[in-house]
Amino acid sequence: MNALLAETPPKPLPSPRTAATVGAELRSLHAAGELDLPRPGEGRTAARWAALAAFGRRDLTLARLAEGHTDAVAILAEAGRSPVPGALYGVWAAKSGGTGAALDDGTLTGTVRFCSGLSLLERALVAAGDRLVEVDLADPRVGRHPDAWQAVGMDASDSGDVVFDRVPVDTLVGPPGWYVARPGFALGGAGVAAVWLGGAAGVFDGVLAYLRDRGAADEHQLAHVGAMHTALSTAEAVLAQAAESEVDALLAGTCRAAAERTAVEVLERALKVTGPTPACRDRRFAQRIADLPVYVRQHHAERDLAALGRTVLGPA
C-alpha cells in the first residue's frame, strides 16, 4: 500500500501569501509539468492523490487551484478531449442558494458562486443545468466579482462569484447528465478528500513545529499529538486502500467522510496543544487554521453522512 503523506513536509510558499503570489506559484508548477498528474482510475491513482495531498499540505489555496486544474484536465480526457495547450483550467459547478449557470441557445447565462481562480484562469468547465460546457474566460461577457468572497480562510484562492451574460460556449463536454454520471465523478470527489487530508497534515506540521521550538510538551499535549497522528494515519490508510480499488460513490463518500472527520479532529485538538500563541503570532499557522475549515466544508457534514448511510443500508 502506498503512503499518501510524505515523511518530510513540503517546502512552504514564499511570504506574504497573496492571490498574486499563489497564482505565480501555480503558473510555475504548470510550466514545470508538476500539474501533469496521472489520470485517475488508470493504475496510478495513489500517485495522483499523493500529489494532491502534498499540495494541500503545502498550502490549501494553492491546492484548491491545482486540484481544479487537474480535475478539469481529467474530465476532458474522460470525454475524449484535450485541454487548450498552456491554459490553466478550473471547474465551476456550484449551485448554491438557487444560483447556477444555464445554457440558452448556445450561450451561457447566470451566476455561479465559489469560483476559484477568477483572475488567473484562462478556461473553465462550467455546469449548466445537466450539461457541462467549456468556456473561454477571456470573453468580456464573463463578469468577475471577487468582493463576493469575504472569508478570511482561503483568502488567497482568487475566489468569488462569476456572472455569465450570454457567453458563447466553445464546447459541450459530454452528453446531458454525463458530468455527474461518469465514473470519474466519484474519483474526483475522493481526490478532493486527499487535499483535505494534506491540509490537516499541514496543521499538524505546525503543531509539531511549535512543540519542537518550545523544547517541551506535557502529557496532555502529547496525548493530543498521539490522537492527531492516529487520525491522520487512519484517513491516509482509507484513501491509500481506495486508490488501489475501483472507486464508486460508496468508496468516494467513505474517503471524503474519513478526511473530513480527520480535519475536524485535528482542528479541534491543534489549539488545545498550542494555545493562542502561534495562531496570533505565526502567520502561516494562522492561515492553515483559517483555511482548512472553509475548504473542508465542501463536505456537507451530516447531510453527506446520511447519504453515505443510505447507500450502506441499501434498498428498504
Side-chain angles (χ1 to χ4, degrees), residues 116-163:
S116 296
L118 291 182
S119 64
L120 179 68
L121 306 180
E122 286 87 20
R123 315 282 294 184
L125 303 185
V126 181
D130 66 349
R131 302 305 302 265
L132 187 69
V133 302
E134 182 173 344
V135 178
D136 180 358
L137 299 179
D139 192 292
R141 289 160 288 192
V142 178
R144 298 164 175 82
H145 298 274
D147 290 347
W149 187 262
Q150 294 294 315
V152 174
M154 303 294 288
D155 61 335
S157 61
D158 193 25
S159 296
D161 292 0
V162 173
V163 177

mmCIF file of all heavy atoms in Angstrom, residues 116-163:
data_model
loop_
_atom_site.group_PDB
_atom_site.id
_atom_site.type_symbol
_atom_site.label_atom_id
_atom_site.label_comp_id
_atom_site.label_asym_id
_atom_site.label_seq_id
_atom_site.Cartn_x
_atom_site.Cartn_y
_atom_site.Cartn_z
ATOM 1 N N SER A 116 -13.075 29.655 -7.960
ATOM 2 C CA SER A 116 -11.688 29.989 -7.617
ATOM 3 C C SER A 116 -10.873 30.193 -8.890
ATOM 4 O O SER A 116 -11.104 29.537 -9.896
ATOM 5 C CB SER A 116 -11.065 28.873 -6.777
ATOM 6 O OG SER A 116 -11.727 28.741 -5.535
ATOM 7 N N GLY A 117 -9.911 31.123 -8.809
ATOM 8 C CA GLY A 117 -9.089 31.434 -9.966
ATOM 9 C C GLY A 117 -9.717 32.472 -10.880
ATOM 10 O O GLY A 117 -9.506 32.446 -12.098
ATOM 11 N N LEU A 118 -10.457 33.407 -10.296
ATOM 12 C CA LEU A 118 -11.193 34.393 -11.103
ATOM 13 C C LEU A 118 -10.301 35.136 -12.091
ATOM 14 O O LEU A 118 -10.649 35.278 -13.267
ATOM 15 C CB LEU A 118 -11.850 35.438 -10.181
ATOM 16 C CG LEU A 118 -13.006 35.006 -9.290
ATOM 17 C CD1 LEU A 118 -13.509 36.210 -8.509
ATOM 18 C CD2 LEU A 118 -14.124 34.410 -10.117
ATOM 19 N N SER A 119 -9.184 35.641 -11.606
ATOM 20 C CA SER A 119 -8.327 36.476 -12.451
ATOM 21 C C SER A 119 -7.192 35.692 -13.085
ATOM 22 O O SER A 119 -6.486 36.218 -13.949
ATOM 23 C CB SER A 119 -7.742 37.623 -11.615
ATOM 24 O OG SER A 119 -6.899 37.118 -10.592
ATOM 25 N N LEU A 120 -7.029 34.438 -12.690
ATOM 26 C CA LEU A 120 -5.843 33.665 -13.069
ATOM 27 C C LEU A 120 -6.095 32.725 -14.231
ATOM 28 O O LEU A 120 -5.232 32.548 -15.097
ATOM 29 C CB LEU A 120 -5.363 32.874 -11.850
ATOM 30 C CG LEU A 120 -4.146 31.989 -12.034
ATOM 31 C CD1 LEU A 120 -2.903 32.840 -12.265
ATOM 32 C CD2 LEU A 120 -3.971 31.097 -10.805
ATOM 33 N N LEU A 121 -7.261 32.101 -14.268
ATOM 34 C CA LEU A 121 -7.513 31.016 -15.212
ATOM 35 C C LEU A 121 -7.851 31.535 -16.608
ATOM 36 O O LEU A 121 -8.431 32.610 -16.761
ATOM 37 C CB LEU A 121 -8.664 30.137 -14.711
ATOM 38 C CG LEU A 121 -8.531 29.566 -13.297
ATOM 39 C CD1 LEU A 121 -9.751 28.730 -12.959
ATOM 40 C CD2 LEU A 121 -7.257 28.749 -13.154
ATOM 41 N N GLU A 122 -7.509 30.712 -17.594
ATOM 42 C CA GLU A 122 -7.884 31.029 -18.974
ATOM 43 C C GLU A 122 -9.159 30.317 -19.422
ATOM 44 O O GLU A 122 -9.876 30.818 -20.293
ATOM 45 C CB GLU A 122 -6.759 30.644 -19.941
ATOM 46 C CG GLU A 122 -5.554 31.558 -19.920
ATOM 47 C CD GLU A 122 -4.533 31.167 -18.874
ATOM 48 O OE1 GLU A 122 -4.555 30.003 -18.425
ATOM 49 O OE2 GLU A 122 -3.724 32.030 -18.488
ATOM 50 N N ARG A 123 -9.428 29.153 -18.848
ATOM 51 C CA ARG A 123 -10.559 28.329 -19.277
ATOM 52 C C ARG A 123 -11.271 27.779 -18.054
ATOM 53 O O ARG A 123 -10.687 27.627 -16.985
ATOM 54 C CB ARG A 123 -10.090 27.148 -20.138
ATOM 55 C CG ARG A 123 -9.078 27.450 -21.209
ATOM 56 C CD ARG A 123 -9.668 28.084 -22.430
ATOM 57 N NE ARG A 123 -10.577 27.198 -23.154
ATOM 58 C CZ ARG A 123 -11.146 27.555 -24.305
ATOM 59 N NH1 ARG A 123 -10.910 28.737 -24.850
ATOM 60 N NH2 ARG A 123 -11.961 26.713 -24.927
ATOM 61 N N ALA A 124 -12.552 27.452 -18.223
ATOM 62 C CA ALA A 124 -13.304 26.813 -17.147
ATOM 63 C C ALA A 124 -14.296 25.828 -17.729
ATOM 64 O O ALA A 124 -14.870 26.060 -18.808
ATOM 65 C CB ALA A 124 -14.031 27.848 -16.296
ATOM 66 N N LEU A 125 -14.487 24.716 -17.015
ATOM 67 C CA LEU A 125 -15.599 23.818 -17.271
ATOM 68 C C LEU A 125 -16.714 24.222 -16.315
ATOM 69 O O LEU A 125 -16.520 24.252 -15.095
ATOM 70 C CB LEU A 125 -15.193 22.365 -17.033
ATOM 71 C CG LEU A 125 -13.998 21.846 -17.837
ATOM 72 C CD1 LEU A 125 -13.798 20.351 -17.584
ATOM 73 C CD2 LEU A 125 -14.149 22.115 -19.317
ATOM 74 N N VAL A 126 -17.873 24.555 -16.881
ATOM 75 C CA VAL A 126 -18.965 25.121 -16.102
ATOM 76 C C VAL A 126 -20.182 24.202 -16.207
ATOM 77 O O VAL A 126 -20.579 23.812 -17.316
ATOM 78 C CB VAL A 126 -19.337 26.533 -16.605
ATOM 79 C CG1 VAL A 126 -20.460 27.126 -15.760
ATOM 80 C CG2 VAL A 126 -18.105 27.447 -16.577
ATOM 81 N N ALA A 127 -20.769 23.861 -15.056
ATOM 82 C CA ALA A 127 -22.001 23.083 -15.039
ATOM 83 C C ALA A 127 -23.166 24.017 -15.343
ATOM 84 O O ALA A 127 -23.371 25.018 -14.657
ATOM 85 C CB ALA A 127 -22.190 22.414 -13.685
ATOM 86 N N ALA A 128 -23.919 23.679 -16.394
ATOM 87 C CA ALA A 128 -25.066 24.482 -16.816
ATOM 88 C C ALA A 128 -26.267 23.558 -16.940
ATOM 89 O O ALA A 128 -26.407 22.847 -17.947
ATOM 90 C CB ALA A 128 -24.778 25.177 -18.146
ATOM 91 N N GLY A 129 -27.116 23.528 -15.901
ATOM 92 C CA GLY A 129 -28.189 22.551 -15.883
ATOM 93 C C GLY A 129 -27.604 21.156 -15.851
ATOM 94 O O GLY A 129 -26.774 20.839 -15.006
ATOM 95 N N ASP A 130 -28.017 20.323 -16.811
ATOM 96 C CA ASP A 130 -27.477 18.958 -16.872
ATOM 97 C C ASP A 130 -26.351 18.829 -17.886
ATOM 98 O O ASP A 130 -25.970 17.720 -18.259
ATOM 99 C CB ASP A 130 -28.592 17.960 -17.181
ATOM 100 C CG ASP A 130 -29.182 18.144 -18.572
ATOM 101 O OD1 ASP A 130 -28.876 19.171 -19.222
ATOM 102 O OD2 ASP A 130 -29.963 17.267 -19.013
ATOM 103 N N ARG A 131 -25.805 19.953 -18.323
ATOM 104 C CA ARG A 131 -24.707 19.935 -19.276
ATOM 105 C C ARG A 131 -23.442 20.485 -18.639
ATOM 106 O O ARG A 131 -23.481 21.293 -17.692
ATOM 107 C CB ARG A 131 -25.028 20.790 -20.523
ATOM 108 C CG ARG A 131 -26.270 20.393 -21.275
ATOM 109 C CD ARG A 131 -26.259 18.932 -21.702
ATOM 110 N NE ARG A 131 -25.141 18.551 -22.542
ATOM 111 C CZ ARG A 131 -25.180 18.527 -23.882
ATOM 112 N NH1 ARG A 131 -26.275 18.896 -24.517
ATOM 113 N NH2 ARG A 131 -24.133 18.119 -24.572
ATOM 114 N N LEU A 132 -22.306 20.048 -19.163
ATOM 115 C CA LEU A 132 -21.016 20.610 -18.803
ATOM 116 C C LEU A 132 -20.453 21.272 -20.045
ATOM 117 O O LEU A 132 -20.436 20.661 -21.126
ATOM 118 C CB LEU A 132 -20.065 19.515 -18.310
ATOM 119 C CG LEU A 132 -18.727 20.001 -17.754
ATOM 120 C CD1 LEU A 132 -18.923 20.740 -16.435
ATOM 121 C CD2 LEU A 132 -17.760 18.826 -17.564
ATOM 122 N N VAL A 133 -20.016 22.518 -19.912
ATOM 123 C CA VAL A 133 -19.545 23.270 -21.070
ATOM 124 C C VAL A 133 -18.162 23.827 -20.782
ATOM 125 O O VAL A 133 -17.779 24.045 -19.631
ATOM 126 C CB VAL A 133 -20.517 24.423 -21.424
ATOM 127 C CG1 VAL A 133 -21.908 23.879 -21.704
ATOM 128 C CG2 VAL A 133 -20.583 25.468 -20.318
ATOM 129 N N GLU A 134 -17.407 24.052 -21.838
ATOM 130 C CA GLU A 134 -16.098 24.685 -21.731
ATOM 131 C C GLU A 134 -16.205 26.128 -22.196
ATOM 132 O O GLU A 134 -16.797 26.402 -23.249
ATOM 133 C CB GLU A 134 -15.053 23.937 -22.557
ATOM 134 C CG GLU A 134 -13.657 24.531 -22.423
ATOM 135 C CD GLU A 134 -12.570 23.704 -23.095
ATOM 136 O OE1 GLU A 134 -12.825 22.520 -23.417
ATOM 137 O OE2 GLU A 134 -11.455 24.239 -23.289
ATOM 138 N N VAL A 135 -15.618 27.032 -21.411
ATOM 139 C CA VAL A 135 -15.753 28.458 -21.676
ATOM 140 C C VAL A 135 -14.382 29.118 -21.728
ATOM 141 O O VAL A 135 -13.500 28.812 -20.918
ATOM 142 C CB VAL A 135 -16.613 29.133 -20.578
ATOM 143 C CG1 VAL A 135 -16.722 30.634 -20.812
ATOM 144 C CG2 VAL A 135 -17.995 28.500 -20.519
ATOM 145 N N ASP A 136 -14.233 30.041 -22.683
ATOM 146 C CA ASP A 136 -13.044 30.893 -22.765
ATOM 147 C C ASP A 136 -13.270 32.080 -21.838
ATOM 148 O O ASP A 136 -14.140 32.919 -22.075
ATOM 149 C CB ASP A 136 -12.849 31.352 -24.205
ATOM 150 C CG ASP A 136 -11.622 32.242 -24.379
ATOM 151 O OD1 ASP A 136 -10.949 32.540 -23.377
ATOM 152 O OD2 ASP A 136 -11.346 32.635 -25.527
ATOM 153 N N LEU A 137 -12.481 32.170 -20.774
ATOM 154 C CA LEU A 137 -12.704 33.206 -19.761
ATOM 155 C C LEU A 137 -12.203 34.579 -20.189
ATOM 156 O O LEU A 137 -12.399 35.559 -19.459
ATOM 157 C CB LEU A 137 -12.042 32.789 -18.442
ATOM 158 C CG LEU A 137 -12.588 31.493 -17.842
ATOM 159 C CD1 LEU A 137 -11.852 31.146 -16.557
ATOM 160 C CD2 LEU A 137 -14.088 31.598 -17.587
ATOM 161 N N ALA A 138 -11.582 34.670 -21.368
ATOM 162 C CA ALA A 138 -11.181 35.976 -21.882
ATOM 163 C C ALA A 138 -12.361 36.757 -22.437
ATOM 164 O O ALA A 138 -12.244 37.967 -22.703
ATOM 165 C CB ALA A 138 -10.119 35.807 -22.970
ATOM 166 N N ASP A 139 -13.501 36.100 -22.616
ATOM 167 C CA ASP A 139 -14.673 36.781 -23.161
ATOM 168 C C ASP A 139 -15.109 37.908 -22.227
ATOM 169 O O ASP A 139 -15.248 37.697 -21.010
ATOM 170 C CB ASP A 139 -15.817 35.777 -23.334
ATOM 171 C CG ASP A 139 -16.956 36.335 -24.168
ATOM 172 O OD1 ASP A 139 -17.635 37.258 -23.681
ATOM 173 O OD2 ASP A 139 -17.148 35.851 -25.299
ATOM 174 N N PRO A 140 -15.334 39.115 -22.753
ATOM 175 C CA PRO A 140 -15.700 40.244 -21.880
ATOM 176 C C PRO A 140 -17.058 40.090 -21.204
ATOM 177 O O PRO A 140 -17.364 40.837 -20.268
ATOM 178 C CB PRO A 140 -15.683 41.442 -22.834
ATOM 179 C CG PRO A 140 -15.864 40.855 -24.196
ATOM 180 C CD PRO A 140 -15.200 39.523 -24.155
ATOM 181 N N ARG A 141 -17.853 39.136 -21.653
ATOM 182 C CA ARG A 141 -19.170 38.928 -21.032
ATOM 183 C C ARG A 141 -19.100 38.006 -19.814
ATOM 184 O O ARG A 141 -20.126 37.645 -19.236
ATOM 185 C CB ARG A 141 -20.138 38.369 -22.084
ATOM 186 C CG ARG A 141 -20.523 39.410 -23.130
ATOM 187 C CD ARG A 141 -21.065 38.805 -24.394
ATOM 188 N NE ARG A 141 -19.991 38.154 -25.171
ATOM 189 C CZ ARG A 141 -20.122 37.738 -26.433
ATOM 190 N NH1 ARG A 141 -21.286 37.888 -27.044
ATOM 191 N NH2 ARG A 141 -19.099 37.177 -27.054
ATOM 192 N N VAL A 142 -17.879 37.630 -19.418
ATOM 193 C CA VAL A 142 -17.662 36.907 -18.162
ATOM 194 C C VAL A 142 -17.384 37.944 -17.083
ATOM 195 O O VAL A 142 -16.333 38.583 -17.068
ATOM 196 C CB VAL A 142 -16.478 35.924 -18.276
ATOM 197 C CG1 VAL A 142 -16.237 35.228 -16.930
ATOM 198 C CG2 VAL A 142 -16.737 34.893 -19.367
ATOM 199 N N GLY A 143 -18.340 38.145 -16.186
ATOM 200 C CA GLY A 143 -18.195 39.150 -15.131
ATOM 201 C C GLY A 143 -17.670 38.538 -13.846
ATOM 202 O O GLY A 143 -18.259 37.589 -13.314
ATOM 203 N N ARG A 144 -16.590 39.071 -13.330
ATOM 204 C CA ARG A 144 -15.954 38.544 -12.117
ATOM 205 C C ARG A 144 -16.244 39.462 -10.940
ATOM 206 O O ARG A 144 -16.110 40.683 -11.053
ATOM 207 C CB ARG A 144 -14.446 38.420 -12.335
ATOM 208 C CG ARG A 144 -14.059 37.442 -13.444
ATOM 209 C CD ARG A 144 -12.626 37.651 -13.866
ATOM 210 N NE ARG A 144 -12.160 36.673 -14.840
ATOM 211 C CZ ARG A 144 -12.385 36.751 -16.148
ATOM 212 N NH1 ARG A 144 -13.067 37.786 -16.654
ATOM 213 N NH2 ARG A 144 -11.926 35.815 -16.969
ATOM 214 N N HIS A 145 -16.576 38.862 -9.798
ATOM 215 C CA HIS A 145 -16.952 39.628 -8.611
ATOM 216 C C HIS A 145 -16.196 39.103 -7.394
ATOM 217 O O HIS A 145 -16.753 38.383 -6.552
ATOM 218 C CB HIS A 145 -18.466 39.557 -8.401
ATOM 219 C CG HIS A 145 -19.249 40.142 -9.535
ATOM 220 N ND1 HIS A 145 -19.552 41.479 -9.620
ATOM 221 C CD2 HIS A 145 -19.740 39.562 -10.668
ATOM 222 C CE1 HIS A 145 -20.224 41.706 -10.736
ATOM 223 N NE2 HIS A 145 -20.354 40.563 -11.397
ATOM 224 N N PRO A 146 -14.912 39.480 -7.255
ATOM 225 C CA PRO A 146 -14.112 38.981 -6.131
ATOM 226 C C PRO A 146 -14.607 39.486 -4.781
ATOM 227 O O PRO A 146 -14.341 38.848 -3.754
ATOM 228 C CB PRO A 146 -12.707 39.492 -6.450
ATOM 229 C CG PRO A 146 -12.908 40.654 -7.360
ATOM 230 C CD PRO A 146 -14.118 40.328 -8.170
ATOM 231 N N ASP A 147 -15.312 40.618 -4.749
ATOM 232 C CA ASP A 147 -15.789 41.151 -3.468
ATOM 233 C C ASP A 147 -16.837 40.255 -2.821
ATOM 234 O O ASP A 147 -17.131 40.413 -1.630
ATOM 235 C CB ASP A 147 -16.371 42.550 -3.658
ATOM 236 C CG ASP A 147 -15.301 43.588 -3.966
ATOM 237 O OD1 ASP A 147 -14.110 43.269 -3.784
ATOM 238 O OD2 ASP A 147 -15.649 44.693 -4.409
ATOM 239 N N ALA A 148 -17.388 39.319 -3.587
ATOM 240 C CA ALA A 148 -18.361 38.394 -3.002
ATOM 241 C C ALA A 148 -17.696 37.429 -2.030
ATOM 242 O O ALA A 148 -18.374 36.820 -1.199
ATOM 243 C CB ALA A 148 -19.072 37.609 -4.110
ATOM 244 N N TRP A 149 -16.371 37.287 -2.137
ATOM 245 C CA TRP A 149 -15.635 36.363 -1.255
ATOM 246 C C TRP A 149 -15.112 37.160 -0.068
ATOM 247 O O TRP A 149 -14.153 37.906 -0.177
ATOM 248 C CB TRP A 149 -14.481 35.719 -2.019
ATOM 249 C CG TRP A 149 -13.770 34.631 -1.258
ATOM 250 C CD1 TRP A 149 -12.609 34.756 -0.552
ATOM 251 C CD2 TRP A 149 -14.180 33.275 -1.119
ATOM 252 N NE1 TRP A 149 -12.258 33.553 0.012
ATOM 253 C CE2 TRP A 149 -13.208 32.626 -0.318
ATOM 254 C CE3 TRP A 149 -15.271 32.541 -1.591
ATOM 255 C CZ2 TRP A 149 -13.308 31.277 0.010
ATOM 256 C CZ3 TRP A 149 -15.363 31.193 -1.256
ATOM 257 C CH2 TRP A 149 -14.389 30.575 -0.465
ATOM 258 N N GLN A 150 -15.736 36.973 1.087
ATOM 259 C CA GLN A 150 -15.372 37.728 2.285
ATOM 260 C C GLN A 150 -14.668 36.873 3.336
ATOM 261 O O GLN A 150 -14.368 37.354 4.418
ATOM 262 C CB GLN A 150 -16.637 38.341 2.900
ATOM 263 C CG GLN A 150 -17.291 39.410 2.027
ATOM 264 C CD GLN A 150 -16.414 40.641 1.877
ATOM 265 O OE1 GLN A 150 -15.843 41.128 2.848
ATOM 266 N NE2 GLN A 150 -16.298 41.146 0.653
ATOM 267 N N ALA A 151 -14.398 35.628 3.016
ATOM 268 C CA ALA A 151 -13.801 34.729 4.005
ATOM 269 C C ALA A 151 -12.351 35.098 4.288
ATOM 270 O O ALA A 151 -11.603 35.486 3.396
ATOM 271 C CB ALA A 151 -13.870 33.291 3.503
ATOM 272 N N VAL A 152 -11.965 34.974 5.556
ATOM 273 C CA VAL A 152 -10.557 35.097 5.930
ATOM 274 C C VAL A 152 -9.819 33.830 5.507
ATOM 275 O O VAL A 152 -8.723 33.883 4.952
ATOM 276 C CB VAL A 152 -10.428 35.339 7.442
ATOM 277 C CG1 VAL A 152 -8.962 35.324 7.869
ATOM 278 C CG2 VAL A 152 -11.082 36.670 7.822
ATOM 279 N N GLY A 153 -10.446 32.665 5.742
ATOM 280 C CA GLY A 153 -9.876 31.419 5.256
ATOM 281 C C GLY A 153 -9.943 31.343 3.743
ATOM 282 O O GLY A 153 -10.911 31.789 3.130
ATOM 283 N N MET A 154 -8.914 30.787 3.134
ATOM 284 C CA MET A 154 -8.820 30.650 1.675
ATOM 285 C C MET A 154 -8.858 32.009 0.980
ATOM 286 O O MET A 154 -9.291 32.143 -0.164
ATOM 287 C CB MET A 154 -9.936 29.748 1.140
ATOM 288 C CG MET A 154 -9.980 28.365 1.745
ATOM 289 S SD MET A 154 -8.528 27.350 1.324
ATOM 290 C CE MET A 154 -8.844 27.015 -0.400
ATOM 291 N N ASP A 155 -8.369 33.045 1.669
ATOM 292 C CA ASP A 155 -8.471 34.403 1.127
ATOM 293 C C ASP A 155 -7.598 34.614 -0.099
ATOM 294 O O ASP A 155 -7.850 35.526 -0.887
ATOM 295 C CB ASP A 155 -8.115 35.439 2.202
ATOM 296 C CG ASP A 155 -6.677 35.294 2.714
ATOM 297 O OD1 ASP A 155 -6.120 34.190 2.628
ATOM 298 O OD2 ASP A 155 -6.125 36.290 3.196
ATOM 299 N N ALA A 156 -6.577 33.781 -0.300
ATOM 300 C CA ALA A 156 -5.682 33.952 -1.449
ATOM 301 C C ALA A 156 -6.036 33.002 -2.596
ATOM 302 O O ALA A 156 -5.229 32.808 -3.507
ATOM 303 C CB ALA A 156 -4.240 33.725 -1.018
ATOM 304 N N SER A 157 -7.242 32.437 -2.573
ATOM 305 C CA SER A 157 -7.635 31.481 -3.613
ATOM 306 C C SER A 157 -8.224 32.153 -4.839
ATOM 307 O O SER A 157 -8.649 31.466 -5.770
ATOM 308 C CB SER A 157 -8.639 30.459 -3.053
ATOM 309 O OG SER A 157 -9.820 31.109 -2.604
ATOM 310 N N ASP A 158 -8.250 33.504 -4.860
ATOM 311 C CA ASP A 158 -8.735 34.241 -6.028
ATOM 312 C C ASP A 158 -10.166 33.831 -6.348
ATOM 313 O O ASP A 158 -10.513 33.549 -7.497
ATOM 314 C CB ASP A 158 -7.797 33.984 -7.222
ATOM 315 C CG ASP A 158 -8.018 34.920 -8.399
ATOM 316 O OD1 ASP A 158 -8.516 36.041 -8.184
ATOM 317 O OD2 ASP A 158 -7.694 34.522 -9.538
ATOM 318 N N SER A 159 -11.008 33.800 -5.305
ATOM 319 C CA SER A 159 -12.365 33.274 -5.433
ATOM 320 C C SER A 159 -13.407 34.382 -5.427
ATOM 321 O O SER A 159 -13.154 35.512 -5.000
ATOM 322 C CB SER A 159 -12.659 32.287 -4.298
ATOM 323 O OG SER A 159 -11.831 31.158 -4.361
ATOM 324 N N GLY A 160 -14.593 34.032 -5.867
ATOM 325 C CA GLY A 160 -15.720 34.952 -5.857
ATOM 326 C C GLY A 160 -16.834 34.430 -6.740
ATOM 327 O O GLY A 160 -16.895 33.246 -7.075
ATOM 328 N N ASP A 161 -17.735 35.333 -7.120
ATOM 329 C CA ASP A 161 -18.849 34.994 -7.998
ATOM 330 C C ASP A 161 -18.485 35.314 -9.439
ATOM 331 O O ASP A 161 -17.729 36.253 -9.714
ATOM 332 C CB ASP A 161 -20.102 35.792 -7.629
ATOM 333 C CG ASP A 161 -20.690 35.396 -6.291
ATOM 334 O OD1 ASP A 161 -20.133 34.491 -5.639
ATOM 335 O OD2 ASP A 161 -21.702 36.006 -5.899
ATOM 336 N N VAL A 162 -19.063 34.552 -10.359
ATOM 337 C CA VAL A 162 -18.935 34.832 -11.791
ATOM 338 C C VAL A 162 -20.335 34.961 -12.375
ATOM 339 O O VAL A 162 -21.202 34.118 -12.115
ATOM 340 C CB VAL A 162 -18.154 33.725 -12.521
ATOM 341 C CG1 VAL A 162 -18.189 33.946 -14.032
ATOM 342 C CG2 VAL A 162 -16.710 33.689 -12.038
ATOM 343 N N VAL A 163 -20.545 36.029 -13.140
ATOM 344 C CA VAL A 163 -21.821 36.251 -13.822
ATOM 345 C C VAL A 163 -21.580 36.101 -15.326
ATOM 346 O O VAL A 163 -20.768 36.817 -15.907
ATOM 347 C CB VAL A 163 -22.395 37.643 -13.500
ATOM 348 C CG1 VAL A 163 -23.698 37.865 -14.283
ATOM 349 C CG2 VAL A 163 -22.646 37.786 -12.003
#
